[in-house]
Amino acid sequence: MQTREKWRSGLGFVLAAAGSAVGLGNLWGFAYRSSQGGGLAFLLLYILVVLVVCLPVLVGEMVLGRSTASSPFLAPVQAAGESWKPLGWLFAISSCGILSFYAVIMGWTADTFFHSLFIGLPVDMVEASDFFGRISSGNSVFVGQIISLVLTGSVVAAGVRGGIERLTRWAMPLLFVLLLILAIWATTLSGSWEGYTSFLFKWDPSQLLDKTTIRNAFTQAFFSLSLGIGIMVAYSSYLDKNNKLPKEALGVASFDTGVGLLAGMITFPIVMSFGLKDVISESTVGALFIALPTGFANLGLIGRLLAAVFFGLAFLAAITSSISLLEVPVSSMIDRLGWTRRKAVWISTFFVFLLGVPSAISLNFLGNMDAVFNVFLILGGFLISILMGWFIPSKYDQDLASSNSDQGVRRYLKFMIRWVSPPVIAFGLIVSVIDLVQGWFA
Ligand code: PFF
């Protein structure tokens, strides 16, 4: 049995967890989902879902990892018995499934970064769809996907401290500073105010009851927080007893939401200033890979430089997330099969590559993977809330008590994870499944 690694510091854990949360989901998903008509209603629902249902579940995942000191595959069984085995499988399947298409999008991101620096970006819509066609098809997609997976594997193979913590420690602060600079720059664009008000802050109360907006809010919350997939179980299993998990969970959620908002404050002014309004909500990838490169290109050389900064930071954000996705199967194989970290990393990376081939070839397939696995996350979140709220509530409370978390906070979380999270997530799950299936037959 190998001894279990530990984070160097509590801050290292928080930055790694925030690194997992902040990713393409913030830079691309947030803008795209809020532009699908939801606007401010989407934003409010999203924040409500995060605060009311996701935070207790996030703490739940952390407790599950820390109290069992086990990988996501084994932790549910260790905590509550054999009947919880399927949850471990769900974690393993969801993380491999998501990483398989996530790596493909990372490849497009790297390619766009490369184009910004060395080749040039599209200046109008005709060139833009051509550009997107080029980066999302042919051999370059495989090159991008493989580079992304190999980089991800290398960081995870270097270990929890030597790989994951070492990367996220400098990447997260850098990311935040660059985003802030870009967001400030975006306020100077002529269409900035119109950009905020026509997407992010557009108020239409009827959207609060819209099925797609509700599904978008749930999906964005779970995807963006990396919740319901065992990542936080894996990361917390390397923690000491003295971390105050509720405080750290709140830190991760606030950072993640802040970055989503900042990304919106960059995307929408660019989109508005260059008349690309329709592009963004029409396709899932439109926002990031068609509208933004075109917008930046219209600013000449300086635009290309800013594009390089934006897509460079997007890639950095993506890799701090992809390593967390890979850590789920890797830590599970180390624990379950007794493999070395290196062996577990490269075997799972290869498997994920094969699983991603259909997504690399077909945009349609990729879109369906995204849609289906997002529902898996919500299902995972639901099961965690049932596990922690109904099967082992005393473990949830005891673990928090042992790290001296405030009693009021503990009482609140215990109540929420038992009485509020399960029904609300069940509601979100049902609406999401109906909306997904209706979309297929529409
Ligand atoms: N949270 C990351 C993002 O928003 O891009 C990546 C991610 C990790 C998504 C884990 C989904 C997930 F289950």
Side-chain angles (χ1 to χ4, degrees):
M1 201 58 202
Q2 301 151 33
T3 50
R4 204 167 190 79
E5 272 199 85
K6 289 262 180 270
W7 299 104
R8 183 164 294 136
S9 70
L11 180 67
F13 162 72
V14 173
L15 287 176
S20 169
V22 170
L24 295 172
N26 303 63
L27 302 177
W28 152 71
F30 197 85
Y32 149 62
R33 293 199 176 96
S34 68
S35 69
Q36 276 197 325
L40 192 59
F42 161 80
L43 192 61
L44 290 178
L45 283 177
Y46 163 77
I47 292 176
L48 201 70
V49 172
V50 168
L51 288 180
V52 174
V53 299
C54 288
L55 264 181
V57 178
L58 183 58
V59 177
E61 270 204 39
M62 291 176 170
V63 167
L64 186 60
R66 178 168 72 177
S67 62
T68 58
S70 288
S71 64
F73 189 72
L74 300 181
V77 172
Q78 264 205 15
E82 279 293 316
S83 56
W84 282 89
K85 208 169 181 173
L87 185 57
W89 277 106
L90 183 72
F91 289 156
I93 294 170
S94 305
S95 52
C96 292
I98 290 184
L99 182 56
S100 76
F101 71 84
Y102 203 77
V104 174
I105 307 178
M106 282 173 79
W108 303 346
T109 312
D111 205 1
T112 311
F113 171 73
F114 189 76
H115 271 79
S116 322
L117 280 182
F118 303 110
I119 302 175
L121 294 170
V123 288
D124 56 35
M125 282 326 295
V126 180
E127 276 186 45
S129 54
D130 217 43
F131 167 79
F132 183 64
R134 240 177 308 127
I135 63 164
S136 63
S137 64
N139 287 340
S140 68
V141 181
F142 289 107
V143 175
Q145 180 202 17
I146 292 170
I147 291 177
S148 305
L149 282 175
V150 168
L151 283 175
T152 302
S154 311
V155 176
V156 178
V160 175
R161 271 193 191 189
I164 300 175
E165 189 171 0
R166 204 157 83 186
L167 171 72
T168 48
R169 215 165 234 284
W170 63 265
M172 297 319 290
L174 175 69
L175 198 85
F176 192 72
V177 172
L178 288 178
L179 267 176
L180 205 59
I181 293 173
L182 282 178
I184 293 171
W185 161 79
T187 61
T188 64
L189 290 171
S190 59
S192 62
W193 187 245
E194 213 190 330
Y196 307 140
T197 50
S198 36
F199 293 110
L200 219 46
F201 304 127
K202 190 184 83 181
W203 179 233
D204 172 3
S206 71
Q207 285 288 329
L208 289 170
L209 299 174
D210 184 82
K211 266 206 309 298
T212 307
T213 304
I214 294 173
R215 176 180 163 209
N216 274 339
F218 273 91
T219 306
Q220 183 61 25
F222 279 84
F223 191 89
S224 186
L225 282 175
S226 304
L227 206 57
I229 190 170
I231 288 176
M232 297 300 163
V233 177
Y235 276 11
S236 308
S237 72
Y238 309 117
L239 264 183
D240 275 331
K241 282 278 169 256
N242 45 21
N243 292 66
K244 288 201 175 17
L245 297 181
K247 209 173 97 203
E248 293 176 350
L250 187 64
V252 172
S254 321
F255 190 76
D256 185 57
T257 305
V259 169
L261 277 171
L262 269 182
M265 293 178 70
I266 297 169
T267 314
F268 295 124
I270 297 180
V271 167
M272 231 37 207
S273 300
F274 301 103
L276 304 164
K277 192 172 172 192
D278 295 335
V279 184
I280 183 165
S281 43
E282 264 169 19
S283 80
T284 51
V285 289
L288 199 54
F289 297 101
I290 299 178
L292 283 185
T294 315
F296 279 123
N298 274 284
L299 294 167
L301 210 56
I302 184 87
R304 267 175 68 180
L305 201 68
L306 289 167
V309 173
F310 183 85
F311 285 96
L313 76 83
F315 190 82
L316 197 60
I319 196 162
T320 59
S321 299
S322 63
I323 54 176
S324 70
L325 284 161
L326 188 62
E327 182 62 21
V328 174
V330 165
S331 61
S332 300
M333 285 168 161
I334 296 173
D335 273 7
R336 177 75 184 76
L337 306 170
W339 287 359
T340 62
R341 175 166 279 273
R342 210 162 273 279
K343 179 174 171 190
V345 164
W346 295 116
I347 289 181
S348 28
T349 303
F350 184 64
F351 171 70
V352 167
F353 164 71
L354 292 182
L355 199 63
V357 169
S359 299
I361 295 171
S362 154
L363 277 181
N364 198 17
F365 190 88
L366 189 150
N368 281 321
M369 288 288 278
D370 180 34
V372 169
F373 278 104
N374 271 310
V375 173
F376 277 34
L377 295 184
I378 306 178
L379 175 65
F382 174 71
L383 292 175
I384 292 163
S385 67
I386 296 288
L387 173 66
M388 303 310 280
W390 289 91
F391 282 76
I392 46 168
S394 50
K395 199 170 245 165
Y396 188 70
D397 195 46
Q398 269 162 20
D399 185 90
L400 296 179
S402 69
S403 56
N404 287 324
S405 287
D406 181 78
Q407 199 172 3
V409 173
R410 269 167 43 211
R411 214 174 293 143
Y412 168 81
L413 287 171
K414 230 171 89 175
F415 176 82
M416 297 302 276
I417 202 157
R418 189 171 170 92
W419 298 106
V420 180
S421 298
V424 178
I425 302 177
F427 165 76
L429 187 61
I430 292 168
V431 173
S432 301
V433 171
I434 293 175
D435 194 51
L436 173 71
V437 175
Q438 275 180 352
W440 278 338
F441 293 104

